[in-house]
Amino acid sequence: MTQEGIGAPPPAKPVGGGTKLLLGVLAGLGLVGVVYLGVLEARRSQLVPDGAASPSFVLQKHEGGELRLEDLRGQVVMLDFWATWCPPCREEMPALVKLAKEYESQGLVFVAASRDDGAMAPKMVENFVRGHLPELKPYVAYAGDDMARAFQVSALPTLYFLDREGKVMDAQRGAMSEDAIRRRIERALKQQ
């Protein structure tokens, strides 16, 4: 045995396969996170921007009559584009109705803008309301293709919040939890 090995620190070990794998996984997760946030921002940026005047609309109500944006001035509008054939829409709708009832005395108006297909829409909505959610009926109106284009609706559900002056406050494509919707409602109602 030689004197060189005594008292000297052991030679550094090369980085093993396990450490390289862990670093690679962490880098991959970081990249996925950045991409995910980018996709969310891109989806949001394709909607009518916050602060912009809401496109004007006149909708036919399910129970008869018309609903105009101008008639809703002074109230916060929760405008949901949905369809009876859309599973996330169907899952989210009970929370929207519950929250609409809870906050309407504070100035919230809920508009469930159905994107069901043309002449069949009233029958499809009526069957859905009767079979699944009778409380939805007074909130339903029909949004045609022109309105969907004006609000840049390319997927369902798409939810907009309009302030008391008819400006877009917030918009979200895709279903949200009841808590997330509640936070948006409360924030919208607090703004003057």
Side-chain angles (χ1 to χ4, degrees):
M1 183 171 227
T2 66
Q3 293 285 346
E4 294 173 26
I6 299 176
K13 293 183 180 179
V15 176
T19 304
K20 286 182 181 178
L21 177 63
L22 179 61
L23 291 174
V25 168
L26 290 174
L29 288 174
L31 180 61
V32 167
V34 168
V35 169
Y36 176 73
L37 292 174
V39 167
L40 286 180
E41 182 57 32
R43 287 175 58 195
R44 174 63 184 101
S45 68
Q46 293 169 359
L47 296 169
V48 177
D50 294 352
S54 167
S56 185
F57 59 79
V58 178
L59 302 174
Q60 295 302 310
K61 294 169 57 176
H62 180 68
E63 294 187 310
E66 291 182 341
L67 179 65
R68 298 173 184 279
L69 174 62
E70 293 77 29
D71 298 338
L72 303 175
R73 294 279 193 257
Q75 300 174 76
V76 171
V77 178
M78 181 170 65
L79 175 63
D80 182 52
F81 292 90
W82 72 289
T84 60
W85 47 262
C86 164
C89 301
R90 293 168 63 114
E91 290 172 25
E92 181 182 57
M93 192 57 72
L96 291 171
V97 170
K98 175 186 172 192
L99 293 169
K101 288 182 174 200
E102 184 177 332
Y103 288 98
E104 64 191 358
S105 66
Q106 296 177 43
L108 180 73
V109 174
F110 176 41
V111 179
S114 171
R115 292 289 296 136
D116 284 290
D117 193 29
M120 293 300 296
K123 183 151 184 66
M124 294 169 76
V125 167
E126 186 61 35
N127 288 340
F128 175 77
V129 166
R130 192 174 323 119
H132 300 284
L133 193 59
E135 301 86 14
L136 173 63
K137 194 171 193 171
Y139 303 110
V140 177
Y142 298 99
D145 293 342
D146 289 342
M147 182 175 176
R149 272 192 296 279
F151 279 90
Q152 301 174 20
V153 175
S154 61
L156 298 176
T158 296
L159 183 63
Y160 276 90
F161 287 91
L162 310 178
D163 70 13
R164 298 175 195 277
E165 293 161 8
K167 292 182 182 173
V168 174
M169 295 184 63
D170 194 4
Q172 174 72 36
R173 198 172 273 132
M176 289 187 288
S177 70
E178 182 176 327
D179 286 340
I181 299 166
R182 181 182 301 278
R183 284 191 303 273
R184 284 171 166 81
I185 290 171
E186 290 178 355
R187 185 173 62 233
L189 288 171
K190 286 178 184 173
Q191 291 189 347
Q192 295 296 333

